[in-house]
Amino acid sequence: MSAHNRGTELALYDEIRQFRKACGEAHLKTILATGELGTLTNVYKASMIAMMAGSDFIKTSTGKETVNATFPVAIVMLRAIRDFFWKTGNKIGFKPAGGIRSAKDSLAWLSLVKEELGDEWLKPELFRIGASTLLSDIERQIYHHVTGRYAAYHDLPMS
């Protein structure tokens, strides 16, 4: 590892530690903007640094970047969470953001988390989906299940 990389990693750790201290008892969610990290190795390192510095949740992105939650990035982050748990006993939450727009998409993410971390992580305290568009699709799916037809988005009460 180059001195520059080591310095960057220490600076990231120190910055997150300061946020952790400022949060007090509140939960700290660290957004990694994984689309900007370049490699999956960097995603793993950033995930571990964030957790070691005291993050309670790690999130793939804000949901507004050009690259958001992807399965390869998620697998790396989830395995970092698992490694961290095995080493420390601390459970860290995960939040994929961006691109999760349908009930079907959400089921794929639930399955991924279940397979990588187990049922314990399928709780809101440890797993959240960042998908504002998802709610409308879930409403449409429920409407279809109850009525047998799909409603237009403007027919739904929350739209």
Side-chain angles (χ1 to χ4, degrees), residues 19-96:
F19 287 129
R20 171 76 270 155
K21 185 177 178 183
C23 284
E25 294 298 313
H27 283 91
L28 174 62
K29 175 177 60 181
T30 302
I31 301 170
L32 298 179
T34 56
E36 305 296 319
L37 292 177
T39 68
L40 294 175
T41 298
N42 288 343
V43 169
Y44 185 88
K45 286 179 184 179
S47 298
M48 290 302 281
I49 290 167
M51 293 183 290
M52 289 172 14
S55 297
D56 298 299
F57 252 86
I58 55 175
K59 184 177 173 182
T60 59
S61 64
T62 64
K64 297 177 183 3
E65 293 91 349
T66 54
V67 177
N68 293 293
T70 65
F71 286 121
V73 162
I75 290 169
V76 169
M77 291 176 73
L78 293 170
R79 289 182 181 172
I81 289 171
R82 184 176 58 204
D83 291 348
F84 188 77
F85 173 69
W86 285 348
K87 291 175 183 170
T88 68
N90 294 326
K91 292 179 182 172
I92 304 301
F94 174 69
K95 184 175 182 180

